[in-house]
Amino acid sequence: MVNTREKQYLQQTYGELIEAKEQLTQLLKRAKEEGISALSEMSGDIRLNFDSVLDNLDTFSMIEMKNREIDQMNIKVQSADLQLQKVKRLLETPYFGKVSVDFLDSEPEEDFYIGIHNFANEVGENRIYDWRSPIAELFYNNMIGPSSYQANQVRIEVEILKRRQFLIERDNLIRFFDTSIAIQDDVLLAALEQNSTKQMQDITSTIQKEQNTIIRDTATHSILVNGVAGSGKTSTIMQRIAYLLYSLRQEITSEDILILSPNNKFIQYISDVLPSLGEKNPRNQTIVQFAQQFLEEAIEDEATYFSRVSSETVNEQTTVLRSKEFITFLKNKSQTMRLDELPLKDIVKKGKVIISKERIKECYQKTPSEASLIERIQATKKLLAEYWEIRLLRQAKNEETQNQILSLSEEQQTAYFGGLISDDSEKSIVAYGHKLLKRTYRKITKSIQQIDWLDKEEFFLRLYKQFKNETYYTNQSEYTLDEAIIMLYIQNCFIEKLDLPKTRFVLVDEVQDYTPAQIQLLIELFPSSQFTLVGDENQSIFNSSISFSAIVEAFEEYKKPIYTYHLLNSYRSSGAITKVFKKLSLQSAEEMEIVPVRPNGEEPQVYEWTNEQTFPQLIQERISHVEGKLTIITKTIDEANHLTKLLKKALAEKKIEVYPISLSKGLEFDHVFLYDVSESNYHSDRDKRILYTAVSRAMQTLSLGYSKELTEFLK
């Protein structure tokens, strides 16, 4: 009987969705036809008459009125198109859950069906509620009995009578399940099984209570999420963005949000998540891309960066650049810097000094001595710009410049001024001369504005030497990311605040791979932004890393409150695979007890190969035992490059893919083969974290290959 009622509700709702789709399609078609017709009529209606001031006003008024009509028409079309896209998405899966609620009054209980979008039928009845709506919070609370939710800043007490989850494909009700504990039900597991390994899919139906708390937390200024492998950290961060865009839609757009992703592969991986929910993707960059946009000099590319941070050792200079102590020194130094410590330089053109550093020093000394260094440098820039403008005007008035203007050919006049000189009065010729001089010396003006009269690289070297009492050496033609971060910090704290777009929320994934210097820079650059930082301390596999306690400490130093959440349920891997990486965790069971959610599945298989010639045969054997593609994960980029050559045939046939662990972090794959998990390759604590990370990429099957002796970590 219950099954019949649910089928009837689905059929009715689906029919109304079909009707809505047809109506919206027709509306858009008519709007397009009427729009073309209306534009044609408008062009005939408007009579351009500029005979008098009154006629001008009438004409402008008519044009403005028609522009408003066009704007209203466009808004109507855009709104209908947006609604049509939502309806089309709902037609794929109308809804995934239902919560039955008693509002503790005399009214009967109400059922609320939850989907990725809101949908009301033609008579205004809400058939589906958006998963981000206030009432949907009751569905994600994973409980039966007394509960509450907040709407319009009012807490509403209710009783949850029933919580039901559905598996639906279009208008076909496959099955449903009543539960209060979502992580154990078969609907969740079935939904997890449908996850794609190529891109993150919509997982609104699988959000769990602990994830939902993070997603909907708008009261806490900044949050830090420490989640075990496969706990849904990335999906939580994406759903949080979608929720913020929905709940704060009157205040923010996707342009107010910045995502910092671990690598380009990851950016592609999550690229379809928000569009699948009807939201635009925010700015999404790697930390290398983020830094590069503010520097004219080149920064190392992603491959070079990952190769460097994946190496076993790190030199002392880089350790200093990454350290909190060096950043603290720079911050304090920016408040006490003296003029004689500034590396000023002449502004030159073709080897000739145009503005000497002595002149620049004079301008600096005119600025208020009680002001901060950055304020004095900005004031110096302003005084230099004024001085330069006076020089150009003075030169424009001299006889030589005026004679030069008068002797220009018609071709030159057109090239320099966009037309011929029509007025040869002295005032006009001076104006033309000023324009020509500004064009001729535009690089000088640019040098003043960009503060090129301050040698920024020399500034970097001096500050390093003052801190370390050693000379900084570099042989590279481009900055490392660590050098770039310090250059940006110096720029922002000593010279000129970086010009950043308005950013309300900053979301950082794989935060454990950031250095203290990078975290400090982000806090400096986004003092008013709210941060969401997610990561897993067990996955600190690079030689650049920061502890979660150090992150909290950094935020507290800036008086920015931050709250830490823990995600301990692992949803990605089978139970058998989860047990393997659970044993590899460097944290004690009391600190981070990893809870497997999926069924146990196939036990991981261990394979030994005697020599390199037999390895391709072993891979072919594994390919024949799995459905789909086999993903081989290596410890290093060099190993990945080596296997790419060795397994050329299987790669050409698209039966396998090869990734170093540095590029597979954050991703997940159905069938994984770990290359060379030998004792000689995995023996240190860092190796153990790399192994934890690599094992946890696997969802269904895991194969472990080694030569000579298996690592002690897996015995």
Side-chain angles (χ1 to χ4, degrees):
M1 185 66 180
V2 174
N3 195 11
T4 303
R5 281 203 303 271
E6 292 296 5
K7 282 185 175 179
Q8 286 174 347
Y9 191 87
L10 176 58
Q11 293 302 319
Q12 184 178 352
T13 302
Y14 202 83
E16 290 170 346
L17 283 167
I18 292 289
E19 288 176 19
K21 178 188 174 185
E22 291 172 353
Q23 289 172 4
L24 288 166
T25 302
Q26 287 301 315
L27 188 152
L28 285 168
K29 184 181 178 183
R30 285 198 307 273
K32 185 177 180 181
E33 292 170 351
E34 291 170 3
I36 294 171
S37 175
L39 285 173
S40 178
E41 289 175 12
M42 285 178 196
S43 62
D45 289 344
I46 297 176
R47 300 284 188 272
L48 299 180
N49 187 348
F50 300 106
D51 292 343
S52 66
V53 173
L54 190 59
D55 290 332
N56 285 352
L57 292 174
D58 287 343
T59 300
F60 290 139
S61 176
M62 187 176 296
I63 291 171
E64 180 62 29
M65 183 178 68
K66 294 300 181 184
N67 281 339
R68 282 200 297 270
E69 288 180 25
I70 293 170
D71 289 342
Q72 289 169 359
M73 189 185 304
N74 286 336
I75 291 170
K76 183 179 177 183
V77 169
Q78 288 169 4
S79 176
D81 185 55
L82 184 63
Q83 188 60 32
L84 178 60
Q85 298 311 313
K86 289 180 178 180
V87 167
K88 285 180 176 178
R89 280 188 285 270
L90 288 173
L91 283 168
E92 296 296 319
T93 304
Y95 47 84
F96 50 78
K98 181 179 83 169
V99 61
S100 301
V101 181
D102 182 352
F103 285 91
L104 308 179
D105 52 26
S106 56
E107 297 297 319
E109 69 178 75
E110 290 187 51
D111 293 335
F112 298 91
Y113 287 80
I114 313 299
I116 62 170
H117 296 300
N118 185 74
F119 173 69
N121 62 17
E122 209 169 7
V123 297
E125 296 172 327
N126 268 323
R127 309 293 288 174
I128 305 169
Y129 288 81
D130 193 295
W131 68 276
R132 297 164 290 185
S133 62
I135 196 71
E137 184 177 355
L138 299 175
F139 173 77
Y140 291 116
N141 280 345
N142 294 359
M143 61 187 294
I144 301 296
S147 188
S148 65
Y149 70 98
Q150 189 162 320
N152 299 322
Q153 299 182 331
V154 176
R155 180 58 58 181
I156 301 169
E157 301 295 328
V158 299
E159 183 170 357
I160 301 175
L161 304 175
K162 192 180 297 174
R163 181 182 180 282
R164 179 168 289 168
Q165 287 185 269
F166 303 93
L167 271 184
I168 295 172
E169 288 182 4
R170 303 190 74 83
D171 59 347
N172 180 26
L173 177 59
I174 299 170
R175 54 181 158 155
F176 63 85
F177 195 87
D178 289 338
T179 182
S180 61
I181 306 296
I183 61 169
Q184 294 176 351
D185 70 54
D186 61 346
V187 174
L188 170 64
L189 296 175
L192 288 170
E193 290 301 327
Q194 294 174 353
N195 283 357
S196 167
T197 61
K198 287 300 169 196
Q199 60 186 27
M200 180 173 289
Q201 297 295 317
D202 164 39
I203 41 72
T204 51
S205 60
T206 65
I207 293 171
Q208 299 306 294
K209 185 176 182 179
E210 73 275 15
Q211 297 167 340
N212 185 57
T213 303
I214 297 167
I215 291 166
R216 293 174 182 261
D217 184 353
T218 54
T220 307
H221 187 274
S222 293
I223 61 178
L224 173 63
V225 181
N226 189 11
V228 301
S231 58
K233 297 184 295 295
T234 299
S235 59
T236 299
I237 205 175
M238 298 307 292
Q239 300 297 345
R240 178 166 169 77
I241 293 169
Y243 178 76
L244 292 171
L245 288 170
Y246 176 87
S247 60
L248 302 175
R249 55 192 176 279
Q250 303 301 325
E251 303 173 31
I252 66 169
T253 68
S254 59
E255 294 176 359
D256 296 298
I257 296 174
L258 169 66
I259 304 173
L260 289 175
S261 288
N263 53 59
N264 274 316
K265 184 75 180 173
F266 188 84
I267 291 174
Q268 296 167 13
Y269 176 64
I270 64 174
S271 62
D272 291 330
V273 179
L274 289 170
S276 75
L277 295 170
E279 303 289 358
K280 288 183 180 177
N281 275 322
R283 286 171 286 144
N284 192 350
Q285 300 172 302
T286 66
I287 186 68
V288 174
Q289 292 167 339
F290 175 79
Q292 183 65 83
Q293 68 186 325
F294 301 109
L295 291 172
E296 289 187 359
E297 298 81 5
I299 302 177
E300 63 186 338
D301 60 26
E302 193 172 275
T304 305
Y305 171 66
F306 281 122
S307 176
R308 192 167 60 82
V309 298
S310 298
S311 67
E312 294 289 338
T313 58
V314 55
N315 65 50
E316 186 183 356
Q317 288 189 157
T318 300
T319 301
V320 171
L321 299 187
R322 293 173 176 176
S323 69
K324 178 194 172 191
E325 290 75 19
F326 187 45
I327 288 291
T328 302
F329 165 79
L330 293 177
K331 190 174 180 66
N332 294 335
K333 193 68 180 175
S334 68
Q335 305 300 317
T336 60
M337 197 87 179
R338 302 189 312 273
L339 172 63
D340 58 9
E341 294 178 274
L342 291 178
L344 302 177
K345 62 179 183 178
D346 300 326
I347 299 177
V348 300
K349 178 177 169 51
K350 294 181 179 179
K352 180 183 177 183
V353 175
I354 305 298
I355 303 177
S356 69
K357 57 186 174 187
E358 286 73 25
R359 171 66 67 179
I360 297 167
K361 189 174 182 179
E362 284 176 22
C363 289
Y364 182 89
Q365 288 173 329
K366 290 178 183 177
T367 63
S369 58
E370 69 278 6
S372 66
L373 178 66
I374 193 169
E375 290 170 337
R376 297 192 73 178
I377 287 177
Q378 290 303 301
T380 302
K381 181 174 83 169
K382 186 176 180 182
L383 290 173
L384 280 173
E386 291 171 357
Y387 162 76
W388 180 239
E389 180 66 12
I390 291 168
R391 269 187 62 175
L392 290 178
L393 284 170
R394 189 182 298 129
Q395 188 170 342
K397 291 177 182 177
N398 70 33
E399 187 176 347
E400 183 182 347
T401 302
Q402 292 185 33
N403 288 337
Q404 182 184 354
I405 297 299
L406 292 170
S407 64
L408 292 174
S409 67
E410 291 186 354
E411 186 179 347
Q412 288 173 319
Q413 291 175 38
T414 302
Y416 296 155
F417 310 126
L420 300 179
I421 297 174
S422 56
D423 179 3
D424 60 358
S425 65
E426 184 179 351
K427 183 178 179 181
S428 176
I429 295 302
V430 168
Y432 279 116
H434 183 240
K435 188 172 183 179
L436 180 59
L437 287 169
K438 285 182 75 172
R439 175 190 172 94
T440 304
Y441 291 98
R442 57 186 178 274
K443 286 187 177 179
I444 303 300
T445 304
K446 185 179 178 183
S447 292
I448 292 171
Q449 292 302 319
Q450 293 186 343
I451 316 183
D452 290 340
W453 37 273
L454 186 63
D455 191 332
K456 292 156 192 169
E457 290 193 5
E458 176 62 25
F459 204 5
F460 171 101
L461 297 174
R462 288 187 187 183
L463 287 166
Y464 183 91
K465 189 163 188 177
Q466 286 179 23
F467 175 73
K468 194 66 180 163
N469 200 28
E470 293 176 2
T471 301
Y472 185 89
Y473 293 102
T474 178
N475 299 318
Q476 295 163 336
S477 58
E478 58 188 12
Y479 288 144
T480 66
L481 177 62
D482 299 300
E483 292 168 340
I485 293 296
I486 296 302
M487 289 298 290
L488 291 180
Y489 195 91
I490 291 171
Q491 174 75 20
N492 194 69
C493 289
F494 288 80
I495 303 170
E496 186 171 45
K497 294 293 182 184
L498 296 178
D499 185 18
L500 291 155
K502 184 168 71 78
T503 306
R504 176 81 174 270
F505 295 96
V506 177
L507 299 101
V508 182
D509 207 350
E510 303 288 353
V511 70
Q512 75 279 348
D513 296 330
Y514 282 64
T515 66
Q518 290 168 3
I519 293 295
Q520 297 267 122
L521 177 64
L522 291 174
I523 298 173
E524 283 279 356
L525 294 182
F526 300 101
S528 303
S529 301
Q530 293 177 245
F531 283 78
T532 299
L533 314 168
V534 301
D536 178 1
E537 285 196 277
N538 280 308
Q539 295 187 57
S540 300
I541 66 172
F542 298 136
N543 59 44
S544 60
S545 63
I546 187 170
S547 69
F548 279 36
S549 59
I551 293 172
V552 172
E553 187 180 308
F555 273 77
E556 288 175 346
E557 283 182 7
Y558 282 84
K559 306 267 188 305
K560 291 174 76 75
I562 187 166
Y563 181 80
T564 303
Y565 286 98
H566 294 281
L567 293 176
L568 304 178
N569 295 320
S570 182
Y571 302 97
R572 175 191 297 141
S573 306
S574 69
I577 295 170
T578 303
K579 288 172 188 173
V580 176
F581 69 77
K582 180 178 179 180
K583 290 178 180 177
L584 294 167
S585 172
L586 292 177
Q587 292 162 297
S588 68
E590 292 76 21
E591 290 179 304
M592 296 285 280
E593 175 60 28
I594 301 174
V595 180
V597 172
R598 290 183 186 252
N600 198 63
E602 185 180 318
E603 290 294 329
Q605 302 296 310
V606 181
Y607 299 91
E608 181 182 8
W609 69 85
T610 52
N611 56 64
E612 196 170 83
Q613 284 68 39
T614 63
F615 184 73
Q617 185 179 342
L618 170 59
I619 292 300
Q620 285 297 334
E621 181 187 331
R622 288 308 303 148
I623 290 171
S624 65
H625 282 84
V626 300
E627 290 185 19
K629 192 175 285 188
L630 180 68
T631 302
I632 302 174
I633 296 178
T634 66
K635 182 182 177 184
T636 68
I637 293 173
D638 287 343
E639 286 176 346
N641 292 337
H642 172 67
L643 289 187
T644 298
K645 296 174 183 175
L646 186 65
L647 303 170
K648 193 179 294 183
K649 181 181 177 184
L651 279 165
E653 295 171 350
K654 298 186 177 179
K655 293 179 179 179
I656 64 167
E657 53 192 358
V658 180
Y659 291 114
I661 186 60
S662 60
L663 296 184
S664 60
K665 280 189 66 175
L667 307 182
E668 54 191 30
F669 311 96
D670 285 334
H671 309 286
V672 169
F673 186 103
L674 296 192
Y675 175 73
D676 198 13
V677 289
S678 308
E679 178 63 27
S680 59
N681 210 18
Y682 288 92
H683 47 266
S684 67
D685 277 353
R686 180 163 172 258
D687 293 337
K688 193 174 184 181
R689 288 195 293 270
I690 293 172
L691 202 53
Y692 167 98
T693 307
V695 168
S696 61
R697 300 308 94 201
M699 295 172 66
Q700 296 179 29
T701 68
L702 174 66
S703 306
L704 306 162
Y706 74 98
S707 63
K708 295 183 181 177
E709 184 183 2
L710 182 67
T711 173
E712 196 68 35
F713 299 138
L714 293 172
K715 283 182 181 177

